[in-house]
Amino acid sequence: MSEPIPYGKQNITQDDIEAVMEVLQSDYLTQGPKILEFEQAFATYIGCKYAVAVSNGTAALHLCAMSLGVEKGDKVITTPITFAASANCVRYCGGDVVFADINPETYLLDVNKVKELLESSPKGTYRGLIPVDFAGRAIDLEAYRKLADEFDLWIIEDACHAPGGYFIDSKGKHQNCGNGNYADLAIFSFHPVKHIACGEGGMITTNDENLYHKLLQLRTHGITKNEGLYVNSASFAAGEDSDSYPGWYMEMQNLGYNYRLTDFQAVLGSSQLKRADDGITRRREIAEVYDRAFKNNSFVKGQSGVINGHAYHLYVIEVENRLGLYNYLRANNIFAQIHYIPCHLMPYYKEFGWKVDDMPNAEEYYKHCISLPMYPTLTNEEQKYVINKILNFLNNEN
Ligand SMILES: *Cc1c(COP(=O)(O)O)cnc(C)c1O
């Protein structure tokens, strides 16, 4: 293969380009009509009431933590096997991150470990949970909701890896990742390695009207233009005796940020969203081919078999000689990647006292995991090449 094969890659079509061009030539580059169009299309796709577009997934997490009122000293539980942003949003608000270990079979935050944590401290010790649909595998939020209700916690679902993913609840119903039926808020990222690419971009989804209005305000400096919410009088606003607010008036009511998405990014998102289902279908096909190729190979530990609702942002296997395989693949123009270095062992989090052996499942997983090329435009021929190289290395190694 002459072209390098990365682990993930965006797909920009002529339709995408034309949609962006049109917005570039329109009156609104930002704060225009394409934002609401994208939000509504995304909410429909996910099956939730409200969606708020923001500048990236990290901003989405930050606004979620803010809107839920995270403050200094508040304890929030998340997984160490995630991108650091899932935890960092708690720190932005001065809260404390408490990691709980993963289930080694699913690689997801282990609900039993979370339960143990909650039960080992007085009620009220923890404020919230941030489970992650890691790799695109939908986490069972019904189980988390039960815990959250019992211990009076909120839930932010980090669904960056899982637009189009779902789990099946105890009534046999499909629950789309981010649909807000169990979590208070969910977040997505539109970074190019994710399913839908805006360049940079993010989305928050929810069914909670109050949180929705808070988020809209926080996204744009904490400013509202909703008359019904004004604190100051109409006369103050007008600068003279008046029963009505003048056209220019607005109020900054909270300390918000500029976390807006631009219209040309939003229209790119809308255009990409139209192909989202095709992308998932292709990702599941690719996963099936990998599953079959590695099923009978004792050197590969993976999550084989059909996993209902997996959105396959990543296809992860575990191998004994991970470093060797990684380097061998690179030498063959295949750029596999490692997801993730356990968050609790990042030097920043070690300063809070986290240390080696705190999360044995996550740490063992980290020693062996490798994410293989997984994106809709990966060709059958390229995938065959990747599989042959992997099997070649593993069979000669062992
Ligand atoms: C990508 C990602 C984020 C952050 O999104 P950005 O848009 O890059 O800020 C957060 N959590 C997870 C799990 C991610 O994969």
Side-chain angles (χ1 to χ4, degrees):
M1 292 283 145
S2 49
E3 287 286 309
I5 304 176
Y7 83 91
K9 186 160 111 178
Q10 76 273 21
N11 174 26
I12 302 292
T13 64
Q14 194 57 37
D15 283 350
D16 293 343
I17 293 167
E18 281 164 19
V20 173
M21 288 290 284
E22 203 177 297
V23 172
L24 288 177
Q25 290 164 333
S26 77
D27 289 339
Y28 292 99
L29 296 188
T30 190
Q31 294 179 279
K34 296 299 172 193
I35 305 295
L36 190 62
E37 280 176 33
F38 184 33
E39 289 171 340
Q40 288 176 343
F42 196 81
T44 301
Y45 179 68
I46 296 296
C48 64
K49 279 196 190 147
Y50 308 106
V52 178
V54 292
S55 47
N56 55 66
T58 305
L61 283 160
H62 185 189
L63 292 190
C64 286
M66 280 184 79
S67 68
L68 292 165
V70 175
E71 288 176 0
K72 194 167 157 43
D74 285 350
K75 287 185 163 50
V76 177
I77 300 172
T78 192
T79 168
I81 298 300
T82 186
F83 184 59
S86 315
N88 294 349
C89 65
V90 177
R91 294 293 311 134
Y92 294 154
C93 298
D96 294 331
V97 179
V98 179
F99 294 101
D101 209 351
I102 60 164
N103 175 334
E105 298 303 318
T106 63
Y107 310 150
L108 303 175
L109 182 64
D110 187 338
V111 73
N112 293 317
K113 292 279 185 333
V114 174
K115 194 162 185 251
E116 277 169 31
L117 258 182
L118 293 170
E119 286 173 349
S120 65
S121 326
K123 239 182 179 172
T125 302
Y126 296 94
R127 282 287 316 277
L129 307 172
I130 308 181
V132 179
D133 300 307
F134 171 71
R137 185 172 184 151
I139 197 158
D140 177 359
L141 284 177
E142 193 179 14
Y144 277 96
R145 187 74 253 171
K146 268 191 205 139
L147 273 185
D149 288 345
E150 189 183 340
F151 289 89
D152 197 17
L153 310 168
W154 46 253
I155 300 174
I156 301 172
E157 175 188 9
D158 183 337
C160 282
H161 295 184
Y166 64 84
F167 75 97
I168 297 172
D169 72 10
S170 58
K171 297 197 178 80
K173 276 180 76 177
H174 283 206
Q175 297 290 346
N176 288 345
C177 294
N179 73 3
N181 287 347
Y182 293 101
D184 298 271
L185 295 163
I187 71 108
F188 296 87
S189 162
F190 307 125
H191 182 278
V193 297
K194 310 287 163 74
H195 289 55
I196 294 163
C198 291
E200 299 284 353
M203 192 74 83
I204 306 167
T205 56
T206 186
N207 291 334
D208 185 317
E209 193 180 353
N210 271 333
L211 288 174
Y212 172 63
H213 287 295
K214 263 193 209 173
L215 291 164
L216 288 179
Q217 214 191 80
L218 291 173
R219 164 178 77 177
T220 182
H221 310 281
I223 287 174
T224 184
K225 284 197 141 199
N226 182 345
E227 272 196 37
L229 301 175
Y230 287 162
V231 173
N232 289 329
S233 68
S235 297
F236 164 78
E240 60 178 71
D241 260 4
S242 176
D243 294 332
S244 59
Y245 291 90
W248 70 76
Y249 193 66
M250 45 88 167
E251 274 184 5
M252 186 199 131
Q253 299 186 332
N254 286 293
L255 186 60
Y257 294 84
N258 178 353
Y259 280 165
R260 294 187 299 256
L261 191 70
T262 65
D263 277 58
F264 49 96
Q265 289 170 308
V267 82
L268 180 54
S270 293
S271 182
Q272 296 241 317
L273 186 59
K274 292 182 190 146
R275 298 195 305 279
D277 280 335
D278 295 340
I280 294 269
T281 301
R282 177 64 187 145
R283 285 171 187 273
R284 288 183 180 144
E285 266 171 27
I286 293 169
E288 228 182 289
V289 173
Y290 279 138
D291 283 351
R292 250 183 284 131
F294 302 133
K295 191 170 59 182
N296 296 318
N297 190 301
S298 58
F299 308 127
V300 180
K301 182 173 174 271
Q303 303 186 340
S304 62
V306 177
I307 301 168
N308 279 319
H310 203 311
Y312 288 107
H313 165 58
L314 303 173
Y315 189 93
V316 179
I317 59 170
E318 291 175 84
V319 295
E320 200 49 48
N321 182 2
R322 192 265 312 274
L323 178 61
L325 178 62
Y326 174 84
N327 286 332
Y328 176 81
L329 292 178
R330 280 181 81 93
N332 285 284
N333 234 358
I334 299 165
F335 295 83
Q337 196 41 282
I338 308 307
H339 300 93
Y340 287 96
I341 302 161
C343 208
H344 68 291
L345 297 179
M346 289 293 178
Y348 174 78
Y349 283 104
K350 280 164 88 175
E351 280 181 36
F352 294 85
W354 298 98
K355 55 187 191 315
V356 172
D357 291 340
D358 280 348
M359 303 283 135
N361 294 338
E363 291 167 38
E364 183 61 20
Y365 163 83
Y366 170 61
K367 288 177 187 160
H368 303 290
C369 66
I370 184 163
S371 307
L372 306 183
M374 169 56 86
Y375 48 90
T377 55
L378 182 74
T379 65
N380 292 341
E381 192 194 8
E382 285 169 329
Q383 189 181 14
K384 207 168 182 184
Y385 171 80
V386 171
I387 289 168
N388 284 339
K389 288 294 171 198
I390 292 168
L391 293 178
N392 189 39
F393 176 82
L394 293 173
N395 291 323
N396 291 328
E397 261 288 293
N398 289 278

